Amino acid sequence: MRIVRSFIYNSSIFRSLKHKNFRLHFTGQSVSLIGTWMQRVAISWLVYRITGSTFLLGLVTFLSLIPSLVLAPYAGSFIDRHDKYKIVFITQIGLMVQAGILALIVWLSYYNIMMIATLSLAQGIINTFDTTARQSLMVDLVDNKEDLPNAIALNSSAFNAARLVGPAFAGFILSAFGEDICFLINFLSFFFVIACLLQMKLKIREREKSDENIWADLKKGYDYLRESPDLSSLILMLAASSLLVIPYTTLLPAIAKDVFHGNATTFSWFESAAGLGALFGAIYMAMLRPGKDLNQLTIFSSILFAVAVVCLGFSSNIWVALIATGFTGAGLMVQNSTINTYLQTHASSEMRARTLSYYIMAYQGVLPIGSLIMGSLAERLGVSAIVFSEGVAGILIVIGFILHQRKLHDGNWMRSMNPLRFRH
C-alpha cells in the first residue's frame, strides 16, 4: 500500500496529492461534486418535465448563477479581508441545508416553480462566496507552489469526473426513484466534505485589517485588472463565451427530449458525454509540464469548443451529437483551466481573490444572462438553430481575441502574456 501511495504521489499527474491538505480537499470535493451534479441534472429535468418551457429552464439557471455577476466582485473583496477556510466551511453547510430543503419539498410533491426558483437563487448566492473562497484557498493547500498548476488541473478533473459519474447515476435514479432521491444524495454528500474540512491543518497568514471601505477595495481590484491587460483580456474572452456559447449546456434537456425524443436517461447521456470529454481535458491539463504555451492552448481549446458546438447544433444522429457533446466538454474544460491557471499564478497575492472573483463573474455570472436569452430564443427559433448559432459565435469570439492580442501587443501577441510554459 505504501509503495502504491508513493508511486501516485511521485507521478507527474498526481504530484499535488502528496500535500495532505490538498488531498483532503480533493477527496471531499470528489464525493460532494457527484451529489452536486446529480442535483443539477435532477433540477433541470424536473423544471422541464413540469413546465415544458425552455424559457423557465433558462430562468432557473439564470437565478442560480446571476448572483455571481452581481456579488462576485464584492465577494472577492470580502474574502481578501477574512479567513477563506472559515468561509468555505460555512458555505458548505449552507449548500447542504439548501439541498435538504429541496429534497424535502420534492419528496412532499410540492412542485412549486416559485419555491424551486427561490432555492436556486439561494444556492447561487452561497456559491458565489464558496467558489471564490475555494479558488483563492487553492494556493494555501499545496506547500510547493510549483505544484499549484497540477492541483488546479486535478481539482478540475475531480469536477469533471463527477460530471461524468453524477449524471449517469442521476439518469438511473431519476427513472427508477425520482428527483427527490437525487437531492437527498446531494444533501448526504456534504457530510463527507465537511468531515474532510475539519481534518485540515492550514497555516494561512493573517491579513492586516484594512482601514479602507470594502467598496474602495473592490475598486482597487477593478483598477488592477484594467492595468493588467494580460489578465483582463482573458476574463473578457471568457465573459463573451459565457454569454453566447456556454449557454448551450442549458438547452441539453431540450435537445434530449425534443430533438432526439428521449427521456431522463437520454439527458444523462448528454451530460455524461460532456463530462467524459471534460475529464479527458482535465487529465491532459494535469499531465502538462513546463514547455507548453498556455496562450496557444487557450486559443486551440476555444476553437475546438466552438466547432464542437456547431456540430452539435446540426447533428441529426444521436451518436454524432453525443460525440460532439464530448468534444464540447473537452474544449470548454481546457479553455477554463488554462485561463484559471494563468490568473492564479500571475495575479498578486493581495489581489488574487479579487481577480478570481472577476473570473467567476465572467464565467458563472454572465452565463445566466446568456442562458435566459438563449432559452427564450430557442422557444421561438428552435433548439438546434440556436445551438448552431452559439457555435458560430464562439468562432467569432476567438477571432476577435486573436485580433485584439495582435493590436494590443503590436504583432507580438504570441509572447504578449509572458505565458507559463509546459511540456508533456
Side-chain angles (χ1 to χ4, degrees):
M1 187 67 179
R2 184 177 299 176
I3 296 175
V4 174
R5 186 180 301 170
S6 177
F7 171 77
I8 291 175
Y9 295 168
N10 291 321
S11 65
S12 61
I13 191 171
F14 297 114
R15 61 185 180 275
S16 55
L17 288 178
K18 64 188 176 186
H19 306 287
K20 181 179 179 181
N21 290 321
F22 176 74
R23 190 162 66 248
L24 287 167
H25 166 82
F26 179 83
T27 305
Q29 285 297 306
S30 296
V31 174
S32 181
L33 284 169
I34 292 175
T36 299
W37 272 107
M38 291 181 69
Q39 175 166 306
R40 287 188 183 187
V41 171
I43 201 167
S44 294
W45 185 256
L46 174 65
V47 170
Y48 196 65
R49 179 176 66 82
I50 63 179
T51 67
S53 170
T54 55
F55 172 76
L56 289 176
L57 188 61
L59 178 62
V60 170
T61 302
F62 174 85
L63 292 172
S64 68
L65 295 176
I66 193 60
S68 295
L69 178 62
V70 179
L71 296 176
Y74 174 83
S77 298
F78 180 85
I79 290 161
D80 273 336
R81 289 167 166 248
H82 296 84
D83 189 324
K84 294 173 285 188
Y85 170 81
K86 289 181 180 178
I87 293 172
V88 170
F89 189 83
I90 292 170
T91 54
Q92 289 295 308
I93 293 176
L95 290 170
M96 181 176 68
V97 172
Q98 187 268 353
I101 295 173
L102 191 56
L104 180 62
I105 66 171
V106 176
W107 180 67
L108 295 173
S109 299
Y110 186 65
Y111 297 128
N112 186 309
I113 192 66
M114 183 61 70
M115 177 65 78
I116 293 172
T118 301
L119 287 169
S120 295
L121 179 62
Q123 180 189 36
I125 294 171
I126 299 170
N127 264 331
T128 300
F129 288 86
D130 178 71
T131 304
T132 306
R134 277 192 293 109
Q135 290 284 350
S136 59
L137 187 65
M138 287 291 294
V139 71
D140 297 301
L141 297 177
V142 293
D143 301 322
N144 186 348
K145 303 315 174 209
E146 291 183 358
D147 291 333
L148 180 60
N150 177 258
I152 294 171
L154 282 183
N155 194 55
S156 296
S157 71
F159 178 85
N160 291 295
R163 188 179 182 182
L164 173 64
V165 176
F169 283 168
F172 169 74
I173 292 173
L174 283 171
S175 300
F177 304 105
E179 295 93 349
D180 54 332
I181 302 301
C182 290
F183 301 143
L184 177 62
I185 292 174
N186 185 41
F187 169 76
L188 296 174
S189 70
F190 282 104
F191 284 100
F192 193 82
V193 70
I194 290 172
C196 288
L197 284 170
L198 289 172
Q199 295 181 62
M200 289 184 182
K201 295 180 180 179
L202 295 173
K203 296 179 181 178
I204 301 177
R205 180 174 59 87
E206 291 189 11
R207 299 183 182 275
E208 295 182 4
K209 295 294 182 181
S210 175
D211 295 328
E212 291 186 315
N213 185 283
I214 194 169
W215 299 106
D217 273 358
L218 191 155
K219 185 178 183 302
K220 279 186 178 180
Y222 173 79
D223 292 338
Y224 175 73
L225 283 177
R226 190 176 61 179
E227 296 168 2
S228 307
D230 58 327
L231 305 179
S232 58
S233 61
L234 289 170
I235 291 174
L236 287 172
M237 179 188 183
L238 183 59
S241 183
S242 295
L243 180 66
L244 301 173
V245 191
I246 302 176
Y248 89 95
T249 57
T250 304
L251 300 175
L252 287 179
I255 292 174
K257 187 175 181 181
D258 297 341
V259 177
F260 294 105
H261 311 291
N263 53 22
T265 301
T266 311
F267 173 40
S268 73
W269 292 349
F270 279 94
E271 287 286 1
S272 294
L276 180 62
L279 179 60
F280 278 114
I283 292 172
Y284 172 79
M285 289 300 298
M287 293 174 65
L288 290 177
R289 292 175 177 272
K292 186 71 175 179
D293 189 333
L294 281 186
N295 190 31
Q296 287 183 325
L297 189 55
T298 299
I299 292 171
F300 173 78
S301 59
S302 299
I303 293 172
L304 174 64
F305 174 44
V307 171
V309 173
V310 168
C311 294
L312 175 62
F314 68 69
S315 295
S316 57
N317 181 284
I318 191 169
W319 298 111
V320 174
L322 289 171
I323 292 172
T325 302
F327 279 106
T328 66
L332 178 58
M333 191 277 143
V334 175
Q335 178 199 60
N336 285 346
S337 185
T338 51
I339 293 174
N340 189 316
T341 300
Y342 189 88
L343 296 177
Q344 292 250 25
T345 52
H346 284 69
S348 66
S349 59
E350 295 80 10
M351 292 290 178
R352 184 175 292 112
R354 272 167 280 189
T355 299
L356 290 171
S357 72
Y358 279 95
Y359 163 82
I360 292 165
M361 181 175 68
Y363 182 32
Q364 295 185 353
V366 177
L367 179 57
I369 298 175
S371 296
L372 196 61
I373 293 172
M374 296 306 170
S376 180
L377 290 175
E379 284 199 337
R380 299 180 182 182
L381 304 176
V383 175
S384 296
I386 294 303
V387 173
F388 178 82
S389 66
E390 287 178 297
V392 173
I395 295 172
L396 295 176
I397 289 169
V398 178
I399 293 173
F401 177 74
I402 293 172
L403 293 176
H404 172 72
Q405 293 297 309
R406 286 179 173 175
K407 180 180 179 181
L408 186 63
H409 300 286
D410 298 324
N412 199 28
W413 64 280
M414 289 303 291
R415 294 185 296 276
S416 64
M417 296 195 295
N418 187 25
L420 297 176
R421 296 190 169 271
F422 292 86
R423 71 172 183 273
H424 276 294

